[in-house]
Amino acid sequence: MRVVIAEDSVLLREGVQRLLADVGIETVAAVEDGDGLLDALTEHRPDLCVVDVRMPPTFTDEGLRAAIEARRRYPGLPVLVLSQYVEERYAVELLAGGASGVGYLLKERVADVSEFVEAVRRVADGGTSIDHEVITQLMVRSKKSPVDSLTPREREVLGLMAQGLSNTAIAATLVVSDGAVEKHVGNIFAKLGLEPSNSEHRRVRAVLAYLDS
C-alpha cells in the first residue's frame, strides 16, 4: 500500500510515517499543507491519503477542503482524516460525496496502534472508519436549524411572513404596532444570518429557512 500524509506537525507526520513503515505500508510523500497534498496526489496516485484538518496558512479547515478537492479530482480516492477537531460543515460534504473509502478519526481517541492501522487498511480497501464522537456531533448538527434560535413571537411573525402577509397585516393580526413587527423582522434576519443582498430578497430567504425547518 502506498500512502500520502498531509500533516503540519513534523513530529506527528514522521511518527505516522514510521508507524506505517513498521507494518509494511509505504509513505510516498509527507507534506504540510493542502496544496502539497494535491501536488503529491497528482505525482504519486497513492492508495490512500491521511489528512489533518487544520493546516497552513490559516489553520482552520484547509486539510479537509483539500481532501474534498482530492476526491473531486480522483473519484473514489480513499481518504482518512486524522484530526483533533470535528469540522462539521466540510465533514458532512466529504461524507456526502460518497462514504466508500472515507475515514474520520479523532487523534485523542485513537486507542492504540493496531486500531489505527486497521482503520488505514479498511479505508484503503474502500470501507469506512468514522469515530463515534464525529457521528454524534454531525447528528446534533443535522438537527439544528437557525430557526430554532427564534423566540416564540419571532417564529409567529415568520410564520405569518410565510403566509405572504406584509408587516402592516402582521401587526393587525397580532394586534401590535408596525414598529414592533419591524423590530421582530429585524431580529429574525439577524438570527438567520441574512445580510442585505442585491440578488436575494431577505424576506424570501427567511421564509425558505422557515419552511426548511
Side-chain angles (χ1 to χ4, degrees):
M1 185 192 307
R2 301 167 66 253
V3 174
V4 167
I5 300 170
E7 165 64 59
D8 67 288
S9 167
V10 175
L11 291 178
L12 186 56
R13 190 166 66 236
E14 294 188 356
V16 171
Q17 185 172 344
R18 292 182 182 181
L19 185 156
L20 295 178
D22 287 343
V23 294
I25 298 175
E26 178 187 4
T27 299
V28 294
V31 301
E32 64 178 4
D33 56 33
D35 290 340
L37 170 64
L38 296 175
D39 290 342
L41 295 179
T42 300
E43 180 179 355
H44 299 286
R45 299 297 179 89
D47 302 302
L48 171 77
C49 55
V50 178
V51 185
D52 188 16
V53 169
R54 299 186 177 184
M55 294 191 292
T58 67
F59 296 95
T60 54
D61 51 27
E62 288 85 357
L64 201 45
R65 287 191 285 112
I68 292 170
E69 174 62 18
R71 295 269 289 188
R72 186 191 68 78
R73 294 186 186 183
Y74 309 106
L77 171 71
V79 173
L80 175 59
V81 176
L82 182 63
S83 180
Q84 291 177 290
Y85 313 94
V86 180
E87 211 305 323
E88 297 174 355
R89 174 187 171 188
Y90 290 107
V92 169
E93 186 174 345
L94 179 65
L95 296 175
S100 176
V102 174
Y104 199 129
L105 301 180
L106 298 179
K107 294 174 181 177
E108 63 181 19
R109 289 170 55 85
V110 176
D112 54 42
V113 170
S114 61
E115 177 184 328
F116 174 66
V117 172
E118 179 184 355
V120 167
R121 296 191 186 281
R122 184 185 308 126
V123 173
D125 289 339
T128 59
S129 183
I130 313 296
D131 189 287
H132 177 72
E133 180 63 24
V134 174
I135 295 174
T136 298
Q137 290 195 34
L138 295 183
M139 288 180 66
V140 170
R141 176 187 184 276
S142 69
K143 295 177 181 178
K144 291 180 179 178
S145 166
V147 176
D148 295 337
S149 66
L150 303 181
T151 66
R153 176 61 90 181
E154 289 165 354
R155 288 180 65 91
E156 191 174 12
V157 169
L158 183 53
L160 293 172
M161 288 169 58
Q163 295 176 34
L165 274 65
S166 66
N167 284 5
T168 299
I170 293 173
T173 300
L174 299 179
V175 193
V176 297
S177 68
D178 286 357
V181 172
E182 290 176 3
K183 181 177 180 181
H184 288 313
V185 171
N187 289 339
I188 290 168
F189 290 157
K191 291 182 179 180
L192 298 184
L194 300 177
E195 299 294 335
S197 170
N198 293 327
S199 59
E200 293 184 84
H201 197 293
R202 287 193 294 174
R203 202 174 186 91
V204 174
R205 293 163 63 194
V207 168
L208 291 175
Y210 173 76
L211 297 175
D212 185 57
S213 68

